[in-house]
Protein backbone atom coordinates (compact mmCIF):
# COMPACT_ATOMS: atom_id res chain seq x y z
CA UNK A 1 0.00 0.00 0.00
CA UNK A 2 2.77 2.41 0.88
CA UNK A 3 4.46 1.61 -2.40
CA UNK A 4 1.22 2.29 -4.32
CA UNK A 5 0.90 5.69 -2.65
CA UNK A 6 4.42 6.60 -3.67
CA UNK A 7 3.67 5.74 -7.30
CA UNK A 8 0.52 7.82 -7.17
CA UNK A 9 2.44 10.86 -5.87
CA UNK A 10 5.08 10.45 -8.58
CA UNK A 11 2.39 10.12 -11.23
CA UNK A 12 0.61 13.23 -10.01
CA UNK A 13 3.90 15.16 -9.95
CA UNK A 14 4.72 14.16 -13.50
CA UNK A 15 1.21 15.08 -14.58
CA UNK A 16 1.56 18.55 -13.03
CA UNK A 17 4.94 19.02 -14.69
CA UNK A 18 3.53 18.01 -18.07
CA UNK A 19 0.58 20.36 -17.63
CA UNK A 20 2.93 23.21 -16.62
CA UNK A 21 5.14 22.54 -19.62
CA UNK A 22 2.11 22.50 -21.90
CA UNK A 23 0.88 25.78 -20.43
CA UNK A 24 4.34 27.36 -20.80
CA UNK A 25 4.64 26.08 -24.36
CA UNK A 26 1.17 27.32 -25.18
CA UNK A 27 1.86 30.71 -23.63
CA UNK A 28 5.16 30.96 -25.47
CA UNK A 29 3.49 30.01 -28.74
CA UNK A 30 0.80 32.63 -28.21
CA UNK A 31 3.47 35.22 -27.33
CA UNK A 32 5.50 34.34 -30.40
CA UNK A 33 2.40 34.51 -32.55
CA UNK A 34 1.48 37.88 -31.08
CA UNK A 35 5.06 39.18 -31.46
CA UNK A 36 5.18 37.94 -35.03
CA UNK A 37 1.87 39.59 -35.75
CA UNK A 38 3.06 42.83 -34.14
CA UNK A 39 6.30 42.75 -36.10
CA UNK A 40 4.34 42.04 -39.25
CA UNK A 41 2.29 45.15 -38.51
CA UNK A 42 5.48 47.19 -38.07
CA UNK A 43 6.70 46.32 -41.56
CA UNK A 44 3.88 48.18 -43.36
CA UNK A 45 4.19 50.97 -40.78
CA UNK A 46 7.88 51.31 -41.68
CA UNK A 47 7.14 51.45 -45.40
CA UNK A 48 4.35 53.95 -44.79
CA UNK A 49 6.77 56.20 -42.90
CA UNK A 50 9.26 56.06 -45.78
CA UNK A 51 6.48 56.81 -48.25
CA UNK A 52 5.78 59.92 -46.24
CA UNK A 53 9.41 61.00 -46.51
CA UNK A 54 9.29 60.55 -50.28
CA UNK A 55 6.20 62.72 -50.54
CA UNK A 56 7.78 65.44 -48.39
CA UNK A 57 10.99 65.36 -50.42
CA UNK A 58 9.04 65.61 -53.66
CA UNK A 59 7.20 68.60 -52.20
CA UNK A 60 10.47 70.33 -51.27
CA UNK A 61 12.00 69.67 -54.69
CA UNK A 62 8.91 70.94 -56.49
CA UNK A 63 8.77 74.07 -54.33
CA UNK A 64 12.45 74.97 -54.86
CA UNK A 65 12.13 74.30 -58.60
CA UNK A 66 9.34 76.87 -58.85
CA UNK A 67 10.33 79.34 -56.13
CA UNK A 68 14.13 78.88 -56.08
CA UNK A 69 14.85 82.15 -57.96
CA UNK A 70 13.22 84.06 -55.07
CA UNK A 71 16.02 82.91 -52.76
CA UNK A 72 19.07 83.71 -54.90
CA UNK A 73 21.61 85.42 -52.67
CA UNK A 74 19.89 84.41 -49.41
CA UNK A 75 21.49 82.44 -46.60
CA UNK A 76 20.74 78.68 -46.44
CA UNK A 77 19.25 79.09 -42.93
CA UNK A 78 16.69 81.57 -44.29
CA UNK A 79 15.72 79.21 -47.11
CA UNK A 80 15.40 76.31 -44.65
CA UNK A 81 12.93 78.34 -42.56
CA UNK A 82 10.84 79.11 -45.64
CA UNK A 83 10.83 75.46 -46.70
CA UNK A 84 9.70 74.41 -43.21
CA UNK A 85 6.87 76.96 -43.36
CA UNK A 86 5.76 75.59 -46.73
CA UNK A 87 5.72 72.05 -45.34
CA UNK A 88 3.44 73.18 -42.52
CA UNK A 89 0.99 74.49 -45.10
CA UNK A 90 1.24 71.38 -47.28
CA UNK A 91 -0.97 68.33 -47.04
CA UNK A 92 1.58 65.80 -45.83
CA UNK A 93 -0.95 63.38 -44.33
CA UNK A 94 -2.04 60.41 -46.40
CA UNK A 95 -5.64 59.48 -47.03
CA UNK A 96 -7.46 56.62 -48.65
CA UNK A 97 -4.98 56.62 -51.54
CA UNK A 98 -2.52 54.66 -49.38
CA UNK A 99 -3.40 51.04 -48.63
CA UNK A 100 -2.60 49.37 -45.31
CA UNK A 101 -2.62 52.46 -43.11
CA UNK A 102 -1.56 56.10 -43.22
CA UNK A 103 1.40 58.41 -42.69
CA UNK A 104 1.93 61.94 -41.38
CA UNK A 105 5.00 64.10 -41.94
CA UNK A 106 6.22 67.23 -40.15
CA UNK A 107 9.13 69.46 -41.18
CA UNK A 108 11.19 71.67 -38.85
CA UNK A 109 14.05 74.05 -39.64
CA UNK A 110 17.13 73.53 -37.46
CA UNK A 111 17.79 76.98 -35.89
CA UNK A 112 20.72 78.85 -37.43
CA UNK A 113 21.47 76.13 -39.97
CA UNK A 114 20.52 75.49 -43.56
CA UNK A 115 18.89 72.23 -42.54
CA UNK A 116 15.31 70.88 -42.50
CA UNK A 117 14.46 67.89 -40.33
CA UNK A 118 11.63 65.66 -41.57
CA UNK A 119 9.79 63.35 -39.18
CA UNK A 120 7.46 60.83 -40.81
CA UNK A 121 5.23 58.51 -38.77
CA UNK A 122 3.59 55.52 -40.42
CA UNK A 123 0.58 53.84 -38.76
CA UNK A 124 -0.49 50.38 -39.97
CA UNK A 125 -4.13 49.28 -40.03
CA UNK A 126 -3.59 47.21 -36.90
CA UNK A 127 -2.26 50.22 -34.98
CA UNK A 128 1.51 49.58 -35.11
CA UNK A 129 3.60 52.72 -35.68
CA UNK A 130 7.11 53.46 -36.90
CA UNK A 131 8.77 56.86 -37.17
CA UNK A 132 11.62 57.70 -39.53
CA UNK A 133 13.67 60.89 -39.15
CA UNK A 134 15.81 62.33 -41.94
CA UNK A 135 17.44 65.74 -42.42
CA UNK A 136 18.12 67.60 -45.65
CA UNK A 137 20.72 70.32 -46.23
CA UNK A 138 19.89 73.48 -48.19
CA UNK A 139 22.94 74.69 -50.10
CA UNK A 140 24.15 76.81 -53.02
CA UNK A 141 26.80 75.64 -55.47
CA UNK A 142 28.24 78.93 -56.74
CA UNK A 143 31.15 80.45 -54.83
CA UNK A 144 34.29 82.52 -55.35
CA UNK A 145 37.12 81.21 -53.19
CA UNK A 146 40.87 81.56 -53.14
CA UNK A 147 43.32 81.05 -50.29
CA UNK A 148 46.05 83.36 -51.60
CA UNK A 149 46.80 86.46 -53.64
CA UNK A 150 48.34 84.29 -56.39
CA UNK A 151 47.70 80.57 -56.96
CA UNK A 152 49.21 78.39 -59.68
CA UNK A 153 49.28 74.71 -60.52
CA UNK A 154 52.72 75.24 -62.06
CA UNK A 155 55.94 76.57 -60.62
CA UNK A 156 55.97 80.29 -59.77
CA UNK A 157 58.65 82.86 -60.52
CA UNK A 158 58.30 86.09 -58.57
CA UNK A 159 60.47 88.47 -60.57
CA UNK A 160 60.35 91.55 -58.33
CA UNK A 161 60.74 92.72 -54.74
CA UNK A 162 57.69 92.87 -52.47
CA UNK A 163 55.30 92.27 -55.35
CA UNK A 164 52.78 89.99 -53.66
CA UNK A 165 50.94 90.71 -50.43
CA UNK A 166 48.89 88.19 -48.49
CA UNK A 167 46.74 88.75 -45.44
CA UNK A 168 48.22 88.13 -41.98
CA UNK A 169 44.81 88.01 -40.30
CA UNK A 170 44.69 85.81 -37.23
CA UNK A 171 42.01 83.44 -35.95
CA UNK A 172 38.35 84.44 -35.86
CA UNK A 173 37.82 82.86 -32.44
CA UNK A 174 39.53 83.18 -29.09
CA UNK A 175 38.87 79.52 -28.22
CA UNK A 176 38.41 77.45 -31.39
CA UNK A 177 38.74 73.69 -31.04
CA UNK A 178 41.31 71.24 -29.66
CA UNK A 179 42.90 68.44 -31.69
CA UNK A 180 44.63 65.13 -31.08
CA UNK A 181 46.76 63.26 -33.60
CA UNK A 182 49.30 60.49 -34.09
CA UNK A 183 52.46 61.98 -32.61
CA UNK A 184 55.98 61.51 -33.89
CA UNK A 185 59.24 63.45 -33.95
CA UNK A 186 58.32 67.12 -34.34
CA UNK A 187 54.59 66.72 -33.69
CA UNK A 188 51.75 65.30 -35.78
CA UNK A 189 52.78 62.97 -38.59
CA UNK A 190 51.33 63.69 -42.06
CA UNK A 191 50.16 61.05 -44.50
CA UNK A 192 52.81 60.29 -47.08
CA UNK A 193 51.57 60.66 -50.70
CA UNK A 194 54.23 58.17 -51.82
CA UNK A 195 52.87 55.39 -49.60
CA UNK A 196 50.18 52.88 -50.73
CA UNK A 197 46.68 53.79 -49.63
CA UNK A 198 47.08 57.55 -50.02
CA UNK A 199 43.67 58.81 -51.28
CA UNK A 200 43.48 59.31 -55.04
CA UNK A 201 42.87 62.92 -55.93
CA UNK A 202 44.52 64.45 -52.89
CA UNK A 203 47.11 67.20 -53.29
CA UNK A 204 50.80 66.55 -52.75
CA UNK A 205 50.89 68.92 -49.79
CA UNK A 206 51.20 67.15 -46.40
CA UNK A 207 47.80 65.95 -45.15
CA UNK A 208 47.24 65.40 -41.41
CA UNK A 209 44.48 63.27 -39.90
CA UNK A 210 43.37 64.75 -36.56
CA UNK A 211 40.47 64.33 -34.16
CA UNK A 212 38.59 67.22 -32.56
CA UNK A 213 38.47 66.62 -28.80
CA UNK A 214 36.87 69.90 -27.76
CA UNK A 215 35.05 72.82 -29.32
CA UNK A 216 33.18 73.03 -32.63
CA UNK A 217 34.85 71.51 -35.71
CA UNK A 218 35.27 73.76 -38.77
CA UNK A 219 33.58 73.11 -42.10
CA UNK A 220 35.15 71.56 -45.18
CA UNK A 221 36.96 74.31 -47.11
CA UNK A 222 37.77 76.45 -44.06
CA UNK A 223 41.33 77.59 -43.44
CA UNK A 224 42.44 77.16 -39.82
CA UNK A 225 45.41 78.29 -37.76
CA UNK A 226 46.34 78.55 -34.08
CA UNK A 227 43.61 80.12 -31.93
CA UNK A 228 46.07 81.59 -29.44
CA UNK A 229 48.48 83.16 -31.96
CA UNK A 230 49.04 86.82 -31.14
CA UNK A 231 51.67 87.85 -33.68
CA UNK A 232 55.41 88.25 -33.19
CA UNK A 233 58.23 86.58 -35.05
CA UNK A 234 56.83 83.05 -34.94
CA UNK A 235 54.84 82.10 -38.03
CA UNK A 236 51.80 79.93 -37.27
CA UNK A 237 51.13 77.54 -40.11
CA UNK A 238 47.74 77.47 -41.80
CA UNK A 239 45.83 74.37 -42.90
CA UNK A 240 42.84 73.80 -45.18
CA UNK A 241 40.09 71.39 -44.10
CA UNK A 242 39.81 68.76 -46.85
CA UNK A 243 37.33 66.40 -45.17
CA UNK A 244 35.44 66.15 -41.90
CA UNK A 245 33.30 63.50 -40.20
CA UNK A 246 30.80 65.28 -37.91
CA UNK A 247 30.07 62.12 -35.92
CA UNK A 248 33.60 61.02 -35.04
CA UNK A 249 35.19 64.49 -35.15
CA UNK A 250 37.93 63.23 -37.48
CA UNK A 251 39.27 65.80 -39.97
CA UNK A 252 41.92 65.88 -42.67
CA UNK A 253 44.00 69.07 -42.82
CA UNK A 254 46.23 69.97 -45.77
CA UNK A 255 49.21 72.17 -44.99
CA UNK A 256 49.14 75.45 -46.91
CA UNK A 257 52.24 77.20 -45.55
CA UNK A 258 55.79 76.01 -45.99
CA UNK A 259 57.28 79.08 -44.34
CA UNK A 260 60.50 78.59 -42.41
CA UNK A 261 61.02 82.18 -41.34
CA UNK A 262 58.94 84.59 -39.32
CA UNK A 263 57.54 88.03 -40.04
CA UNK A 264 60.93 89.58 -39.33
CA UNK A 265 62.88 86.77 -40.96
CA UNK A 266 64.09 85.36 -37.62
CA UNK A 267 61.20 83.25 -36.35
CA UNK A 268 60.38 79.59 -36.73
CA UNK A 269 57.21 77.76 -37.67
CA UNK A 270 54.90 76.23 -35.10
CA UNK A 271 54.41 72.48 -35.65
CA UNK A 272 51.00 70.80 -35.36
CA UNK A 273 50.73 68.77 -32.15
CA UNK A 274 48.20 67.03 -29.91
CA UNK A 275 46.52 69.52 -27.61
CA UNK A 276 46.78 72.45 -30.01
CA UNK A 277 43.86 74.83 -30.20
CA UNK A 278 42.94 75.80 -33.76
CA UNK A 279 40.36 78.22 -35.14
CA UNK A 280 39.07 79.39 -38.51
CA UNK A 281 41.17 82.27 -39.85
CA UNK A 282 40.83 85.16 -42.30
CA UNK A 283 44.47 84.70 -43.23
CA UNK A 284 45.51 84.50 -46.87
CA UNK A 285 48.89 83.45 -48.24
CA UNK A 286 50.79 85.47 -50.82
CA UNK A 287 51.62 82.59 -53.22
CA UNK A 288 50.47 78.96 -53.37
CA UNK A 289 51.76 76.45 -55.92
CA UNK A 290 50.84 72.82 -56.64
CA UNK A 291 54.50 72.02 -57.20
CA UNK A 292 55.56 74.00 -54.11
CA UNK A 293 58.23 75.53 -56.38
CA UNK A 294 58.44 79.29 -55.80
CA UNK A 295 61.45 81.21 -57.10
CA UNK A 296 62.20 84.81 -56.21
CA UNK A 297 64.40 86.92 -58.43
CA UNK A 298 66.26 90.13 -57.67
CA UNK A 299 66.25 92.53 -54.74
CA UNK A 300 65.80 89.84 -52.10
CA UNK A 301 62.05 89.52 -52.47
CA UNK A 302 60.24 89.30 -49.12
CA UNK A 303 56.73 88.36 -50.24
CA UNK A 304 57.22 84.84 -48.82
CA UNK A 305 58.66 86.14 -45.54
CA UNK A 306 56.14 88.81 -44.61
CA UNK A 307 53.34 86.64 -46.00
CA UNK A 308 53.27 82.86 -46.21
CA UNK A 309 53.93 80.91 -49.38
CA UNK A 310 53.38 77.21 -49.81
CA UNK A 311 51.22 74.37 -51.08
CA UNK A 312 48.10 74.77 -53.20
CA UNK A 313 45.80 72.33 -51.34
CA UNK A 314 43.85 71.06 -54.35
CA UNK A 315 44.58 68.99 -57.44
CA UNK A 316 45.06 71.05 -60.62
CA UNK A 317 42.20 69.39 -62.50
CA UNK A 318 39.86 70.26 -59.60
CA UNK A 319 41.05 73.80 -59.07
CA UNK A 320 38.28 75.50 -61.06
CA UNK A 321 35.45 73.61 -59.34
CA UNK A 322 37.00 74.25 -55.94
CA UNK A 323 37.11 77.96 -56.79
CA UNK A 324 33.64 78.44 -58.30
CA UNK A 325 31.63 75.38 -57.20
CA UNK A 326 30.97 74.05 -60.72
CA UNK A 327 33.06 72.66 -63.59
CA UNK A 328 34.49 74.85 -66.35
CA UNK A 329 32.12 73.42 -68.95
CA UNK A 330 29.08 73.97 -66.70
CA UNK A 331 30.17 77.52 -65.85
CA UNK A 332 30.72 78.57 -69.46
CA UNK A 333 27.55 76.81 -70.61
CA UNK A 334 25.44 78.80 -68.14
CA UNK A 335 26.76 82.19 -69.26
CA UNK A 336 24.69 84.25 -71.73
CA UNK A 337 26.38 84.85 -75.11
CA UNK A 338 27.04 88.54 -74.37
CA UNK A 339 29.29 87.61 -71.45
CA UNK A 340 31.63 85.54 -73.64
CA UNK A 341 34.04 88.02 -75.23
CA UNK A 342 37.20 88.08 -77.35
CA UNK A 343 38.80 91.07 -75.62
CA UNK A 344 38.53 92.45 -72.10
CA UNK A 345 36.23 95.44 -71.75
CA UNK A 346 34.35 97.47 -69.18
CA UNK A 347 30.66 97.01 -69.82
CA UNK A 348 28.15 97.82 -67.10
CA UNK A 349 25.78 95.11 -68.35
CA UNK A 350 28.28 92.23 -68.45
CA UNK A 351 31.36 93.39 -66.55
CA UNK A 352 30.52 91.54 -63.31
CA UNK A 353 31.37 88.19 -64.92
CA UNK A 354 33.10 87.75 -68.27
CA UNK A 355 34.65 84.79 -70.07
CA UNK A 356 37.38 85.81 -72.50
CA UNK A 357 38.02 83.34 -75.33
CA UNK A 358 41.57 84.18 -76.37
CA UNK A 359 41.61 84.71 -80.16
CA UNK A 360 44.96 83.10 -81.01
CA UNK A 361 48.72 83.45 -80.73
CA UNK A 362 51.21 85.86 -82.24
CA UNK A 363 53.80 83.29 -83.26
CA UNK A 364 54.33 81.42 -80.00
CA UNK A 365 53.00 84.25 -77.83
CA UNK A 366 49.48 85.10 -76.74
CA UNK A 367 49.15 88.72 -75.56
CA UNK A 368 46.07 89.80 -73.61
CA UNK A 369 45.44 93.21 -72.06
CA UNK A 370 43.34 93.47 -68.90
CA UNK A 371 41.31 96.67 -68.55
CA UNK A 372 41.16 98.49 -65.16
CA UNK A 373 37.37 98.61 -64.71
CA UNK A 374 35.91 100.56 -61.78
CA UNK A 375 33.94 97.69 -60.19
CA UNK A 376 34.94 94.33 -58.73
CA UNK A 377 34.48 91.48 -61.19
CA UNK A 378 35.24 87.91 -62.26
CA UNK A 379 37.30 87.55 -65.44
CA UNK A 380 38.14 84.12 -66.85
CA UNK A 381 40.65 83.86 -69.70
CA UNK A 382 40.72 80.63 -71.73
CA UNK A 383 43.63 79.68 -73.99
CA UNK A 384 42.83 79.20 -77.71
CA UNK A 385 42.78 75.85 -79.51
CA UNK A 386 46.16 75.84 -81.27
CA UNK A 387 48.58 73.05 -82.05
CA UNK A 388 52.26 72.66 -81.37
CA UNK A 389 52.22 75.06 -78.47
CA UNK A 390 54.45 73.26 -76.00
CA UNK A 391 56.72 76.29 -75.91
CA UNK A 392 53.95 78.91 -76.19
CA UNK A 393 53.38 81.54 -73.52
CA UNK A 394 50.41 83.66 -72.50
CA UNK A 395 51.17 87.23 -71.45
CA UNK A 396 48.41 88.91 -69.44
CA UNK A 397 49.10 92.59 -68.76
CA UNK A 398 47.35 95.28 -66.74
CA UNK A 399 48.61 98.65 -67.96
CA UNK A 400 47.93 101.15 -65.20
CA UNK A 401 45.03 101.31 -62.77
CA UNK A 402 43.64 98.45 -60.76
CA UNK A 403 41.97 95.13 -61.40
CA UNK A 404 39.59 94.36 -58.52
CA UNK A 405 38.22 90.86 -58.19
CA UNK A 406 39.14 87.35 -59.28
CA UNK A 407 41.22 86.74 -62.41
CA UNK A 408 41.28 83.07 -63.46
CA UNK A 409 43.56 82.06 -66.34
CA UNK A 410 43.15 78.67 -68.09
CA UNK A 411 46.23 77.51 -70.01
CA UNK A 412 44.48 74.59 -71.73
CA UNK A 413 41.68 74.94 -74.27
CA UNK A 414 40.03 71.61 -73.39
CA UNK A 415 37.59 72.39 -70.57
CA UNK A 416 36.95 68.72 -69.74
CA UNK A 417 40.58 67.60 -69.48
CA UNK A 418 41.58 65.79 -66.28
CA UNK A 419 44.77 64.40 -64.81
CA UNK A 420 43.88 61.01 -66.32
CA UNK A 421 43.33 62.40 -69.84
CA UNK A 422 46.23 64.68 -70.55
CA UNK A 423 45.06 67.22 -73.15
CA UNK A 424 46.93 67.96 -76.36
CA UNK A 425 48.47 70.46 -76.31
CA UNK A 426 48.79 70.11 -72.52
CA UNK A 427 49.31 73.68 -71.28
CA UNK A 428 51.42 76.81 -71.45
CA UNK A 429 53.62 79.16 -69.47
CA UNK A 430 51.83 82.28 -68.26
CA UNK A 431 53.20 85.71 -67.35
CA UNK A 432 51.00 88.13 -65.41
CA UNK A 433 52.26 91.72 -65.37
CA UNK A 434 51.08 94.83 -63.58
CA UNK A 435 52.64 97.74 -65.46
CA UNK A 436 52.03 100.61 -63.06
CA UNK A 437 48.97 98.63 -62.04
CA UNK A 438 47.84 96.25 -59.33
CA UNK A 439 45.63 93.16 -59.00
CA UNK A 440 43.53 93.15 -55.83
CA UNK A 441 41.58 90.08 -54.73
CA UNK A 442 43.16 86.99 -56.26
CA UNK A 443 44.85 85.73 -59.42
CA UNK A 444 44.62 82.01 -60.20
CA UNK A 445 46.62 80.45 -63.04
CA UNK A 446 45.78 76.96 -64.26
CA UNK A 447 48.85 76.31 -66.41
CA UNK A 448 48.18 72.61 -66.88
CA UNK A 449 45.59 70.27 -65.31
CA UNK A 450 48.24 67.59 -64.74
CA UNK A 451 50.97 69.81 -63.32
CA UNK A 452 52.33 68.73 -59.96
CA UNK A 453 50.43 65.41 -59.84
CA UNK A 454 52.53 62.70 -61.50
CA UNK A 455 56.00 62.08 -60.01
CA UNK A 456 58.41 59.20 -60.41
CA UNK A 457 60.09 57.27 -57.60
CA UNK A 458 62.84 59.88 -57.32
CA UNK A 459 60.32 62.68 -56.87
CA UNK A 460 60.91 64.12 -60.34
CA UNK A 461 57.83 65.28 -62.29
CA UNK A 462 56.97 62.74 -65.00
CA UNK A 463 55.62 65.53 -67.23
CA UNK A 464 56.68 69.07 -67.90
CA UNK A 465 55.78 71.59 -65.21
CA UNK A 466 54.73 74.93 -66.69
CA UNK A 467 55.62 78.25 -65.10
CA UNK A 468 53.66 81.25 -63.87
CA UNK A 469 55.80 84.39 -63.86
CA UNK A 470 54.76 87.46 -61.88
CA UNK A 471 56.12 90.80 -63.09
CA UNK A 472 55.38 94.48 -62.83
CA UNK A 473 56.52 97.99 -62.11
CA UNK A 474 55.77 100.15 -59.09
CA UNK A 475 52.07 100.94 -59.21
CA UNK A 476 52.51 103.93 -56.88
CA UNK A 477 49.44 105.93 -55.97
CA UNK A 478 46.93 103.59 -57.58
CA UNK A 479 47.96 100.63 -55.46
CA UNK A 480 47.99 102.76 -52.32
CA UNK A 481 44.26 103.21 -52.87
CA UNK A 482 43.51 99.49 -53.03
CA UNK A 483 46.36 97.46 -51.48
CA UNK A 484 47.74 97.99 -47.98
CA UNK A 485 51.26 99.39 -48.01
CA UNK A 486 54.24 98.74 -45.75
CA UNK A 487 56.97 101.15 -44.73
CA UNK A 488 60.48 99.93 -43.97
CA UNK A 489 63.37 102.27 -43.25
CA UNK A 490 61.49 105.24 -44.61
CA UNK A 491 60.61 103.42 -47.85
CA UNK A 492 56.97 102.75 -48.70
CA UNK A 493 56.32 99.48 -50.53
CA UNK A 494 53.48 99.16 -53.02
CA UNK A 495 52.32 95.76 -54.22
CA UNK A 496 51.32 94.56 -57.69
CA UNK A 497 49.26 91.66 -56.28
CA UNK A 498 47.34 91.65 -52.99
CA UNK A 499 44.80 89.36 -51.34
CA UNK A 500 41.32 90.43 -50.22
CA UNK A 501 38.97 87.80 -48.82
CA UNK A 502 36.02 90.23 -48.32
CA UNK A 503 36.30 91.34 -51.94
CA UNK A 504 36.23 87.72 -53.13
CA UNK A 505 33.20 86.97 -50.97
CA UNK A 506 31.37 89.91 -52.54
CA UNK A 507 31.78 88.42 -56.02
CA UNK A 508 29.12 85.82 -55.20
CA UNK A 509 26.52 88.45 -56.14
CA UNK A 510 28.15 88.86 -59.57
CA UNK A 511 27.99 85.11 -60.17
CA UNK A 512 24.36 84.88 -59.06
CA UNK A 513 23.38 87.68 -61.45
CA UNK A 514 25.29 86.24 -64.40
CA UNK A 515 24.10 82.63 -63.97
CA UNK A 516 20.70 82.53 -62.23
CA UNK A 517 20.12 78.91 -63.26
CA UNK A 518 23.10 77.88 -61.13
CA UNK A 519 22.31 80.30 -58.30
CA UNK A 520 19.10 78.72 -57.00
CA UNK A 521 19.16 76.76 -53.73
CA UNK A 522 19.52 73.00 -53.84
CA UNK A 523 18.73 70.24 -51.40
CA UNK A 524 20.58 67.06 -50.46
CA UNK A 525 20.23 64.39 -47.80
CA UNK A 526 22.31 65.26 -44.75
CA UNK A 527 25.03 62.74 -43.97
CA UNK A 528 24.36 60.36 -41.03
CA UNK A 529 20.94 61.92 -40.34
CA UNK A 530 18.64 58.90 -40.98
CA UNK A 531 17.17 57.29 -37.87
CA UNK A 532 14.29 54.90 -37.14
CA UNK A 533 12.14 55.22 -34.05
CA UNK A 534 9.29 53.15 -32.57
CA UNK A 535 8.67 50.07 -30.45
Amino acid sequence: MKRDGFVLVALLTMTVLVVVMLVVASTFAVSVRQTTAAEAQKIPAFYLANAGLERAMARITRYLTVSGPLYIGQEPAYVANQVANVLKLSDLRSGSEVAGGQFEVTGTAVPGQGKVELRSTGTATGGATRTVVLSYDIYFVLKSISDSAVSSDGSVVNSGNKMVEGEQGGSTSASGFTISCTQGPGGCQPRDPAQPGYPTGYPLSPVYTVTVTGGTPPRVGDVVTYATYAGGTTVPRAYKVLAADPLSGVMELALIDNSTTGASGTGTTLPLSTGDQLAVTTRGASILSSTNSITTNGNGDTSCIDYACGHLPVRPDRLFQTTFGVSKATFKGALPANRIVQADRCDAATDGVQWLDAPGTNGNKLDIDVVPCPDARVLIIQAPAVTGRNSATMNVTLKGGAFRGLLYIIGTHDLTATSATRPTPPGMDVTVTGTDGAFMGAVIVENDVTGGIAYDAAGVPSSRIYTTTLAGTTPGRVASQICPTTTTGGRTDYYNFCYSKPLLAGLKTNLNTAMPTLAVPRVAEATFSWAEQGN
Side-chain angles (χ1 to χ4, degrees):
M1 294 294 293
K2 292 182 179 180
R3 182 177 303 173
D4 293 340
F6 176 79
V7 171
L8 180 60
V9 170
L11 180 61
L12 289 174
T13 301
M14 291 179 62
T15 301
V16 170
L17 288 175
V18 170
V19 170
V20 170
M21 291 176 63
L22 289 174
V23 171
V24 170
S26 176
T27 303
F28 179 75
V30 170
S31 175
V32 169
R33 186 166 59 252
Q34 290 175 340
T35 301
T36 302
E39 289 299 324
Q41 287 291 317
K42 291 179 182 179
I43 294 174
F46 172 78
Y47 284 111
L48 286 165
N50 279 283
L53 284 182
E54 292 180 4
R55 177 176 290 187
M57 188 57 205
R59 182 71 181 92
I60 294 173
T61 302
R62 186 166 62 252
Y63 174 72
L64 290 180
T65 300
V66 175
S67 303
L70 298 175
Y71 302 119
I72 293 176
Q74 297 288 349
E75 291 296 321
Y78 174 81
V79 181
N81 280 324
Q82 299 305 306
V83 169
N85 290 335
V86 169
L87 291 177
K88 291 177 183 178
L89 300 175
S90 301
D91 182 11
L92 295 179
R93 179 183 301 175
S94 65
S96 59
E97 77 278 5
V98 177
Q102 63 181 11
F103 61 75
E104 184 174 359
V105 186
T106 58
T108 306
V110 180
Q113 301 181 37
K115 190 183 297 291
V116 177
E117 182 183 87
L118 300 179
R119 180 178 294 269
S120 179
T121 299
T123 304
T125 304
T129 63
R130 301 299 290 175
T131 298
V132 177
V133 179
L134 185 62
S135 295
Y136 288 89
D137 290 322
I138 305 294
Y139 68 100
F140 296 88
V141 296
L142 288 179
K143 55 186 177 180
S144 52
I145 294 176
S146 178
D147 299 317
S148 61
V150 176
S151 301
S152 171
D153 63 10
S155 59
V156 178
V157 175
N158 191 1
S159 62
N161 182 49
K162 278 189 174 291
M163 290 186 61
V164 187
E165 182 181 40
E167 171 57 55
Q168 290 182 335
S171 68
T172 59
S173 169
S175 56
F177 55 94
T178 306
I179 65 164
S180 64
C181 58
T182 302
Q183 290 283 127
C188 296
Q189 296 303 294
R191 303 182 69 174
D192 184 358
Q195 295 300 315
Y198 192 77
T200 302
Y202 272 43
L204 288 180
S205 57
V207 176
Y208 298 83
T209 300
V210 302
T211 301
V212 175
T213 58
T216 303
R219 296 174 299 180
V220 173
D222 283 342
V223 175
V224 299
T225 188
Y226 296 83
T228 56
Y229 177 67
T233 59
T234 301
V235 175
R237 289 181 169 180
Y239 306 84
K240 185 156 186 170
V241 182
L242 295 181
D245 181 349
L247 291 183
S248 65
V250 175
M251 297 187 305
E252 289 187 327
L253 306 178
L255 175 65
I256 291 180
D257 299 351
N258 67 346
S259 311
T260 56
T261 54
S264 64
T266 59
T268 57
T269 57
L270 292 174
L272 194 64
S273 300
T274 290
D276 283 342
Q277 282 194 322
L278 304 180
V280 177
T281 179
T282 58
R283 180 180 181 181
S286 56
I287 304 172
L288 297 179
S289 165
S290 290
T291 65
N292 199 25
S293 173
I294 301 171
T295 304
T296 58
N297 293 339
N299 303 322
D301 180 76
T302 54
S303 293
C304 293
I305 296 178
D306 290 345
Y307 307 97
C309 295
H311 306 271
L312 183 64
V314 61
R315 269 178 47 157
D317 58 350
R318 300 177 186 178
L319 180 55
F320 190 96
Q321 184 147 349
T322 300
T323 302
F324 293 108
V326 295
S327 68
K328 286 173 280 191
T330 299
F331 190 107
K332 188 176 184 180
L335 284 175
N338 64 342
R339 291 183 180 271
I340 301 176
V341 299
Q342 278 67 53
D344 190 23
R345 67 190 185 200
C346 294
D347 183 341
T350 64
D351 188 40
V353 178
Q354 288 184 346
W355 186 291
L356 194 158
D357 272 333
T361 60
N362 178 16
N364 65 344
K365 290 173 50 180
L366 173 61
D367 296 315
I368 297 174
D369 289 335
V370 174
V371 180
C373 299
D375 299 318
R377 60 192 180 120
V378 174
L379 176 61
I380 300 170
I381 300 175
Q382 180 186 355
V386 295
T387 59
R389 126 172 150 239
N390 285 338
S391 60
T393 61
M394 182 190 299
N395 299 314
V396 179
T397 305
L398 173 67
K399 297 178 180 177
F403 175 90
R404 297 173 176 84
L406 178 54
L407 173 63
Y408 195 105
I409 301 170
I410 305 172
T412 55
H413 182 73
D414 184 358
L415 298 184
T416 62
T418 68
S419 61
T421 57
R422 187 170 176 81
T424 303
M428 61 168 52
D429 297 321
V430 175
T431 298
V432 185
T433 304
T435 303
D436 292 334
F439 297 86
M440 182 185 185
V443 174
I444 301 177
V445 182
E446 185 184 298
N447 298 87
D448 171 18
V449 293
T450 61
I453 294 180
Y455 286 76
D456 62 20
V460 177
S462 59
S463 59
R464 177 183 171 185
I465 301 299
Y466 291 87
T467 299
T468 294
T469 300
L470 308 177
T473 55
T474 302
R477 184 182 61 83
V478 174
S480 68
Q481 297 172 357
I482 61 167
C483 288
T485 60
T486 59
T487 302
T488 304
R491 184 189 78 249
T492 300
D493 294 306
Y494 301 101
Y495 294 85
N496 294 96
F497 304 86
C498 58
Y499 180 74
S500 174
K501 193 166 188 174
L503 191 154
L504 294 174
L507 295 175
K508 177 74 175 297
T509 301
N510 299 37
L511 297 171
N512 289 341
T513 301
M515 297 174 290
T517 57
L518 298 180
V520 296
R522 305 187 183 194
V523 61
E525 182 180 321
T527 307
F528 306 120
S529 66
W530 189 92
E532 184 182 2
Q533 301 174 353
N535 298 320

